[in-house]
Amino acid sequence: MPPRTAVAERPLPAEYFRFFDLPAHLNIDLADLEKRYYALSRKWHPDRYARKSETERSEAEQNTALLNDAYRTLKDPVRRAEYVLAENGLAAAQQSAPPDLLEEVFELNMALEEIRDGDNSVRPQLEEAEKKFLGLQQEVDRSLQTEFVKYDGGPESLARIRAILNRRNYIRNLLRDVGKALCSK
Amino acid sequence: MLQIDFGTQDHIVGIDLGTTNSLVAIMEAGAPRVIVGEDGDKLVPSIVSLKANGEPVVGNGARQLLIEHPERSVYSAKRLMGKGIADVQDELRLFPFRIAEGSESVIRIALGDRTLTPPEIGAMVLRQLKKNAEADLGEPVTKAVITVPAYFNDAQRQATKDAGRIAGLEVLRLVNEPTAAALAYGLDKRKEGIIAVYDLGGGTFDISILKLHDGIFEVLATNGDTHLGGDDIDNRMMRIALEDIASEWGEDLSTNGEAVQTLRSQIVKAKEELSFAPSVVLVFEWRDKRYSREITRELFERLITDIVDGTLGPCRSCIADAKVTVEQIDEVVLVGGSTRIPMVRNAVEVLFRAKPHTDLNPDEVVALGAAVQAGILEGTVEDQLLLDVTPLSLGIETMGGVVSKIIPRNSTIPASASEQFTTSVDGQTNVLIHVLQGERELVKDCRPLARFDLKGIDPVPAGLARIEVRFLIDANGILNVTARDARTGKETSVDVKPTYGLTDTEVEAMIQASFDNAEADLNARQLAEARVEADSILAAVEKAKRSDAYAELTEEERQGLATAIALLQAAYHGEDYKLIRDKIESLDHAGHALAENMMNTAIRGVLKGTKI
């Protein structure tokens, strides 16, 4: 149960988990989380308080906003992991290209420049790269999952999770740029 | 007498304030019902025309006035809600509105000798709907749920809420149109699963994907274009017809309001017929000239291809944002009049690989859903709950004109975010925060929402102040900002300067003005009616004076009649309709003997077989 009075406070450590009465685990049963979310929404949603006093309405709104923020964060594995990192004082590190990808990223950036200048001959190369990085992203997601399980067993692997998240963000940004370049003809 | 309180609460009505048509509905015995207006029509065309005396005429009655007095009429004003003049340059070329001075942050339209903002025009439509509902329910209506396009931004939502306030309605909730449609649809069928709502109306396009589970309607994602709809199709056809006419007749009609409105009504008719017929003939008669042209469906479809295609991009983004595949979407629901166009239906069918649902009336389903939401707020609909999202990301301006996102699009509302701010100069006592909406990274590519001025900060060395600002998007999709000093815990006052829209003071003044006007309007109407009645009784008495029956009156009776006539004539030239009515009654009374005599004379005449 969340504290009903502390609505305007910055969430306390792991408050998002306490909202749902769950342990601060990185591996979450999403169907169970959704069930809890729906039940809490039925209880707190402002629609349920339309006939109540101004104070009660405002409290319902504040509680529901925090509930929604918590659900938005916890239902997504990346946001969830970033939240746990932040709660443990580990902000996401500065992004830098993962060393093993340096060469490919260099070539990709050249191709991106060319297609932006109107050279469509690099299109197949970009499509190939997109496929490859999508594969890499899936690989990262799998290793993230493995680390989640390890973390829930004992909290020593957060630094590794942070490194994986950074790699994932980097790949995601690349994919976004490639997608954008391929979309605009 | 004993008064028994049954604990009845006043009704909350559900309103679809549309670009082309508006409707009002209520919840009745667990089912929503659209209210029929005094003209027998459920649809109230969103057309407002001012009479010469400034009194508004709304709906079907304004249709003809739009053609006769285009300079005093306005339609599709919803497209101008929450906009500034710079936003609407393009479309003003075909909308014949005259824009007044000072339209940078709120558009001001000159109608006759009045100047009205879109919220005031919306309020006139709302007042008509309110009146229709009051006539139907036999009780005053003061509370409403109003629908808005899902892709409406903060300013457009605020403008709609302002329209409600000006019309004397407490707007308990703004609901997104596609979500309202889903609510009506899902309630009816008790559906489970994932549905997409494709809503192409007169002026806006929305796509929403929802998950329906056990009475919960959870919006997963929404997308759209608040500037894409049937009006754009009409404008396209207008342009071609006007060019045709210009070359055939050697006459440019595009600046002639009356001609343009006559042509537009013919074009809308032709467009609507094309949904059922393979070809139609557009006929336009003007003065002694006649223009006609056959339009085949093929030509029509070529004309609108890019408009229809323009809806598909938002659909794809929405599917991606909802994190579902096309195969997972169980059903597609069509909303909005423009979804009657076969080409639109085909495009939806191809994209979603499913035959869209068309068994609900696309004109009414949004209003029905608004009534269901009203029922939820009233507490009469207990199992259903709507979890909607904000369509646009919320961000704040940071160094170098870059926008830092604080609440991502498609976050369930109410949603919030907290940010800490500090001062950059010693002794600084206020901090200015620039808030924007949109998906782009640079300030210049996003929609400015407002500037928030945090005031009364303790003067401390630079960087030492800790102001915690909480941004909350409420269940209506409207931003609220509160701030406090994190070191002292003291509330910081926040001054809001909205980039677009009316200030609170302006809205208050409009509420006052509209109230005064409504009183004045009512008074003027009553006065006019009383005078008409006085005219007819005075004329009747004058006529009767020349009859035999008058001769038969006693002197006293004649004197009484003369006095009553004089008193009514005196009241007639005054402004007090109650006095006129009073004197009409006196005259009626004084003329009683005369009327009786006339009746007798008539009977005698009939008996004698002669005419009186």
Side-chain angles (χ1 to χ4, degrees):
Chain A
M1 285 294 290
R4 287 176 73 87
T5 46
V7 284
E9 301 285 331
R10 209 178 167 75
L12 300 164
E15 189 190 354
Y16 284 175
F17 289 96
R18 285 202 287 122
F19 241 98
F20 294 98
D21 203 12
L22 287 171
H25 283 175
L26 279 174
N27 224 358
I28 283 188
D29 176 354
L30 288 178
D32 174 63
L33 182 71
E34 183 185 76
K35 223 163 87 188
R36 289 165 191 262
Y37 171 65
Y38 284 168
L40 290 171
S41 291
R42 280 191 196 278
K43 203 161 129 195
W44 289 336
H45 198 278
D47 283 5
R48 306 265 154 188
Y49 295 82
R51 295 281 193 189
K52 298 285 165 61
S53 71
E54 174 76 45
T55 323
E56 282 172 286
R57 283 201 315 248
S58 147
E59 198 181 67
E61 184 169 66
Q62 300 283 352
N63 277 332
T64 309
L66 280 183
L67 169 68
N68 287 337
D69 298 343
Y71 185 55
R72 183 169 71 241
T73 305
L74 295 192
K75 75 176 171 186
D76 179 81
V78 173
R79 282 201 191 122
R80 188 194 313 144
E82 279 169 349
Y83 171 69
V84 171
L85 285 179
E87 290 302 313
N88 286 279
L90 285 167
Q94 200 65 15
Q95 279 193 35
S96 53
D100 60 313
L101 297 177
L102 267 178
E103 201 174 324
E104 255 158 304
V105 169
F106 182 73
E107 272 176 36
L108 184 67
N109 279 333
M110 298 255 291
L112 280 172
E113 205 125 297
E114 277 161 44
I115 200 165
R116 278 183 206 124
D117 290 342
D119 180 1
N120 262 310
S121 69
V122 292
R123 188 169 278 273
Q125 187 195 334
L126 281 175
E127 282 164 353
E128 199 52 44
E130 189 179 36
K131 230 180 279 168
K132 179 170 179 194
F133 283 107
L134 269 174
L136 278 176
Q137 186 172 335
Q138 281 161 4
E139 203 176 282
V140 170
D141 284 346
R142 277 193 299 273
S143 57
L144 204 53
Q145 191 56 41
T146 316
E147 292 299 325
F148 280 4
V149 176
K150 273 195 214 157
Y151 171 79
D152 292 344
E156 72 282 355
S157 54
L158 266 181
R160 215 157 37 229
I161 287 175
R162 180 168 70 156
I164 297 172
L165 279 179
N166 286 343
R167 184 182 173 85
R168 193 187 188 283
N169 280 343
Y170 193 83
I171 294 171
R172 188 199 58 203
N173 289 348
L174 280 180
L175 279 168
R176 193 191 55 205
D177 292 346
V178 173
K180 234 190 256 171
L182 285 175
C183 267
S184 57
K185 283 161 210 161
Chain B
M1 268 260 296
L2 242 171
Q3 285 275 322
I4 299 166
D5 184 5
F6 291 100
T8 48
Q9 288 165 320
D10 40 344
H11 263 100
I12 305 173
V13 297
I15 291 176
D16 172 7
L17 183 62
T19 308
T20 318
N21 292 304
S22 298
L23 300 90
V24 57
I26 51 148
M27 221 39 198
E28 213 169 54
R33 171 174 73 87
V34 178
I35 286 172
V36 179
E38 51 195 359
D39 56 4
D41 209 340
K42 287 177 179 172
L43 300 182
V44 173
S46 307
I47 308 172
V48 171
S49 188
L50 298 186
K51 288 189 193 166
N53 67 0
E55 195 188 323
V57 178
V58 178
N60 283 314
R63 244 186 230 285
Q64 189 57 32
L65 293 172
L66 171 65
I67 294 172
E68 289 166 13
H69 296 293
E71 78 289 351
R72 294 208 301 259
S73 309
V74 59
Y75 63 97
S76 294
K78 184 175 175 179
R79 295 185 77 137
L80 309 177
M81 282 278 200
K83 300 259 166 106
I85 181 95
D87 302 320
V88 293
Q89 282 303 345
D90 274 353
E91 69 189 286
L92 285 177
R93 262 179 254 141
L94 275 159
F95 282 101
F97 307 138
R98 283 183 298 137
I99 304 298
E101 296 278 304
S103 291
E104 289 73 24
S105 65
V106 183
I107 290 173
R108 296 173 200 274
I109 301 165
L111 288 183
D113 47 17
R114 288 180 74 177
T115 302
L116 295 175
T117 60
E120 288 171 283
I121 295 161
M124 288 173 176
V125 176
L126 289 173
R127 215 175 283 129
Q128 179 65 45
L129 296 168
K130 179 176 185 276
K131 218 170 84 187
N132 290 355
E134 285 171 344
D136 183 280
L137 295 167
E139 61 185 56
V141 169
T142 56
K143 295 185 171 76
V145 167
I146 301 179
T147 61
V148 290
Y151 219 55
F152 253 19
N153 64 31
D154 189 274
Q156 291 168 304
R157 286 167 194 270
Q158 193 61 58
T160 307
K161 230 179 149 186
D162 291 343
R165 278 175 68 197
I166 297 166
L169 288 169
E170 187 188 344
V171 182
L172 296 184
R173 176 77 80 248
L174 296 175
V175 183
N176 294 329
E177 286 157 11
T179 324
L183 209 48
Y185 175 76
L187 183 76
D188 189 34
K189 315 262 163 163
R190 302 246 155 227
K191 287 280 179 202
E192 298 273 309
I194 292 174
I195 67 166
V197 182
Y198 179 102
D199 180 356
L200 188 60
T204 57
F205 169 66
D206 281 330
I207 174 78
S208 288
I209 296 175
L210 296 95
K211 181 172 180 176
L212 275 53
H213 177 67
D214 198 23
I216 298 240
F217 291 67
E218 185 188 6
V219 179
L220 300 176
T222 194
N223 210 304
D225 186 336
T226 56
H227 242 70
L228 189 67
D231 281 351
D232 298 292
I233 297 174
D234 302 348
N235 287 346
R236 224 90 8 129
M237 293 171 82
M238 285 290 289
R239 200 167 297 163
I240 290 175
L242 284 169
E243 275 169 22
D244 270 6
I245 291 166
S247 68
E248 261 179 48
W249 300 356
E251 194 179 346
D252 178 19
L253 290 180
S254 62
T255 51
N256 183 322
E258 198 181 335
V260 165
Q261 290 318 317
T262 311
L263 178 62
R264 182 181 292 277
S265 67
Q266 291 305 311
I267 276 177
V268 170
K269 217 174 91 194
K271 175 186 76 171
E272 288 173 0
E273 282 170 12
L274 270 170
S275 288
F276 306 97
S279 103
V280 294
V281 180
L282 170 69
V283 179
F284 168 62
E285 281 166 343
W286 179 248
R287 307 260 152 86
D288 52 345
K289 295 199 182 100
R290 186 172 194 273
Y291 162 79
S292 92
R293 174 178 178 153
E294 190 192 10
I295 305 170
T296 61
R297 193 182 278 176
E298 197 215 327
L299 171 74
F300 176 68
E301 292 186 344
R302 240 187 302 145
L303 200 62
I304 65 168
T305 300
D306 62 315
I307 293 177
V308 177
D309 283 352
T311 67
L312 300 181
C315 287
R316 290 194 194 97
S317 306
C318 189
I319 294 169
D321 284 352
K323 297 195 173 75
V324 295
T325 60
V326 167
E327 290 73 23
Q328 284 174 292
I329 297 170
D330 298 299
E331 272 163 30
V332 186
V333 180
L334 296 183
V335 185
S338 304
T339 59
R340 289 199 175 92
I341 298 170
M343 191 192 199
V344 172
R345 295 194 169 182
N346 282 338
V348 173
E349 199 175 326
V350 169
L351 180 68
F352 289 95
R353 291 177 221 148
K355 214 166 179 58
H357 264 270
T358 53
D359 48 340
L360 282 167
N361 182 336
D363 292 325
E364 291 180 11
V365 63
V366 169
L368 294 173
V372 175
Q373 178 63 31
I376 292 174
L377 297 179
E378 276 174 349
T380 53
V381 177
E382 285 178 344
D383 313 333
Q384 268 69 32
L385 181 67
L386 194 60
L387 303 175
D388 218 324
V389 301
T390 177
L392 299 159
S393 297
L394 189 81
I396 46 181
E397 177 171 356
T398 57
M399 301 280 250
V402 175
V403 178
S404 157
K405 303 257 155 60
I406 53 173
I407 299 177
R409 69 168 185 273
N410 293 319
S411 293
T412 306
I413 49 175
S416 66
S418 292
E419 290 285 322
Q420 280 217 359
F421 293 85
T422 187
T423 48
S424 54
V425 179
D426 288 346
Q428 189 178 339
T429 55
N430 66 327
V431 171
L432 201 63
I433 308 170
H434 189 198
V435 179
L436 303 101
Q437 273 189 307
E439 309 314 317
R440 305 281 296 275
E441 280 142 47
L442 297 179
V443 166
K444 66 177 176 63
D445 299 320
C446 285
R447 178 88 179 162
L449 194 157
R451 285 175 195 275
F452 295 90
D453 196 359
L454 311 179
K455 289 162 110 172
I457 298 168
D458 279 349
V460 289
L464 214 67
R466 292 273 176 274
I467 310 301
E468 192 168 280
V469 181
R470 193 161 139 83
F471 301 85
L472 185 135
I473 300 178
D474 68 15
N476 302 311
I478 293 177
L479 177 67
N480 302 269
V481 170
T482 49
R484 58 177 205 128
D485 190 321
R487 295 183 319 137
T488 62
K490 205 174 68 185
E491 283 270 322
T492 306
S493 88
V494 183
D495 229 19
V496 192
K497 293 188 189 73
T499 314
Y500 295 95
L502 300 164
T503 63
D504 227 33
T505 326
E506 280 177 301
V507 174
E508 287 299 333
M510 284 169 185
I511 293 169
Q512 202 51 46
S514 76
F515 180 76
D516 295 342
N517 270 338
E519 289 278 281
D521 287 353
L522 186 68
N523 209 42
R525 195 162 62 230
Q526 303 259 40
L527 189 62
E529 280 169 8
R531 280 179 181 156
V532 167
E533 215 171 299
D535 277 337
S536 81
I537 192 170
L538 284 169
V541 173
E542 275 313 307
K543 202 176 150 203
K545 268 178 159 177
R546 293 191 298 271
S547 73
D548 292 344
Y550 184 71
E552 286 173 24
L553 292 181
T554 64
E555 184 57 35
E556 200 184 335
E557 280 168 339
R558 270 185 239 173
Q559 202 54 54
L561 202 57
T563 313
I565 291 171
L567 285 175
L568 176 55
Q569 280 168 337
Y572 186 93
H573 297 290
E575 297 290 318
D576 187 352
Y577 72 89
K578 284 189 191 129
L579 189 67
I580 300 176
R581 292 224 173 270
D582 190 49
K583 296 306 164 199
I584 288 174
E585 211 169 297
S586 309
L587 178 57
D588 195 43
H589 196 73
H592 195 73
L594 177 61
E596 219 157 68
N597 280 353
M598 283 179 78
M599 190 66 83
N600 291 338
T601 318
I603 291 165
R604 261 181 274 144
V606 170
L607 291 176
K608 279 194 274 179
T610 56
K611 274 181 82 179
I612 49 162

